[in-house]
Amino acid sequence: MRETRIIMGMPITVEIVDNTGDQQSLDLIFEYFTHIDNKFSTYKKESEISRINMGLIGKEKYSEEMREVFELSEKTKQETEEYFDIRKPNGFLDPSGLVKGWAIHNASNTLKSMGYKNFYIEAGGDIETFGKNKEGKPWTIGIRNPFNTDELIKILEVENKGVATSGNYIRGNHIYDPLNKDVVAGIASFTVIGPNIYDADRFATAAFAMGENGIFFIENLPGFEGYIVDKNGTATMTQGFNKYQKINA
């Protein structure tokens, strides 16, 4: 079973390969993403994060999910030499650089708890895979050319991994370098492969903010591989990235 719905302002796709997959399972996952959107969207005035930013909700009334995301964001900030920071130049809090991967990973764990062995979940280009595809092979994931999104520049084969791509080719220069107080303009896209999409997503955001030095951060991160394309179209990959490339791709 495979279905795509527009939630969180992006296409979200869930595919369950197992024969036991049913519509109720898909509905449950999409309902969860709708719940996350209603709570964490900075574009919705009634969301919890928007009400926090407007000063309408004090710390003592944060929901458990909000507390968890804030704690994980602070942890990520410390793990990335403060290149990951949810506090924006205007003083508002925007945890979207962590929430999407966190939500996908939570949804994946829900499917696992329901007994599913082979599936993938994608939200806006960030993907978590589990098991194998319908052909009994590793999941195939393409990396788009940031200068021509109709073209794939790399094709990956992964299973039980998360793949996240941060870039400015869809939403423009939106990734902020919290240390140099500016948007990141030298990098076109940054793809990170990790043990799950939560970690791949948050570290991809931080590595992108680091600019060209971000690839060294990923290189030194055990269990992760990265692929970066700079503004001139020059690509650099970590030492172990090749093991995920599809042969004859």
Side-chain angles (χ1 to χ4, degrees):
M1 296 190 68
R2 174 188 172 104
E3 189 171 324
T4 300
R5 299 184 192 178
I6 303 297
I7 307 172
M8 300 168 69
M10 67 187 77
I12 296 179
T13 299
V14 181
E15 180 172 347
I16 301 174
V17 175
D18 305 71
N19 292 330
T20 53
D22 56 28
Q23 188 63 46
Q24 186 176 4
S25 298
L26 292 179
D27 289 343
L28 181 66
I29 297 302
F30 286 122
E31 287 169 8
Y32 172 71
F33 280 113
T34 298
H35 162 75
I36 292 299
D37 188 33
N38 290 335
K39 182 176 289 286
F40 290 98
S41 173
T42 57
Y43 298 99
K44 295 187 175 183
K45 291 182 179 180
E46 294 303 313
S47 71
E48 183 177 354
I49 190 65
S50 291
R51 290 171 64 80
I52 288 172
N53 283 327
M54 289 186 287
L56 300 177
I57 300 178
K59 290 184 178 181
E60 70 282 356
K61 294 188 177 180
Y62 290 175
S63 66
E64 288 187 16
E65 287 173 312
M66 190 64 66
R67 290 180 188 276
E68 180 181 353
V69 164
F70 282 172
E71 289 172 3
L72 293 173
S73 296
E74 182 60 29
K75 178 175 181 286
T76 303
K77 181 178 179 179
Q78 300 307 318
E79 291 173 333
T80 60
E81 301 175 0
E82 301 191 0
Y83 273 97
F84 183 95
D85 193 343
I86 65 172
R87 188 170 294 279
K88 300 309 170 187
N90 60 6
F92 284 1
L93 298 169
D94 181 2
S96 57
L98 180 142
V99 164
K100 183 168 64 167
W102 172 77
I104 297 170
H105 187 51
N106 289 342
S108 175
N109 285 336
T110 296
L111 289 180
K112 291 177 187 178
S113 71
M114 296 168 71
Y116 293 117
K117 305 292 185 184
N118 303 279
F119 60 83
Y120 92 93
I121 302 174
E122 175 182 1
D126 288 351
I127 300 166
E128 180 143 303
T129 67
F130 190 60
K132 299 183 183 298
N133 64 18
K134 61 184 178 182
E135 298 173 348
K137 298 179 180 180
W139 293 95
T140 300
I141 297 172
I143 299 177
R144 295 190 182 280
N145 180 346
F147 306 104
N148 176 14
T149 55
D150 291 331
E151 177 187 356
L152 297 178
I153 52 177
K154 293 290 179 186
I155 299 178
L156 311 178
E157 287 187 322
V158 298
E159 52 186 297
N160 305 332
K161 297 289 182 182
V163 181
T165 298
S166 289
N168 56 21
Y169 53 93
I170 294 178
R171 292 170 55 194
N173 289 335
H174 68 284
I175 300 178
Y176 174 71
D177 177 350
L179 299 186
N180 294 314
K181 310 298 183 185
D182 200 2
V183 295
V184 181
I187 305 301
S189 73
F190 204 134
T191 298
V192 172
I193 304 170
N196 59 68
I197 189 56
Y198 161 65
D199 287 320
D201 185 35
R202 66 195 183 109
F203 287 135
T205 300
F208 192 104
M210 295 175 188
E212 294 180 358
N213 290 328
I215 196 71
F216 299 105
F217 172 76
I218 298 299
E219 178 69 61
N220 293 318
L221 205 59
F224 293 80
E225 301 297 340
Y227 181 86
I228 188 174
V229 180
D230 69 16
K231 64 180 181 180
N232 299 314
T234 300
T236 306
M237 66 185 74
T238 54
Q239 200 166 17
F241 184 84
N242 270 329
K243 67 184 177 184
Y244 294 108
Q245 288 198 69
K246 185 175 181 180
I247 299 174
N248 298 326

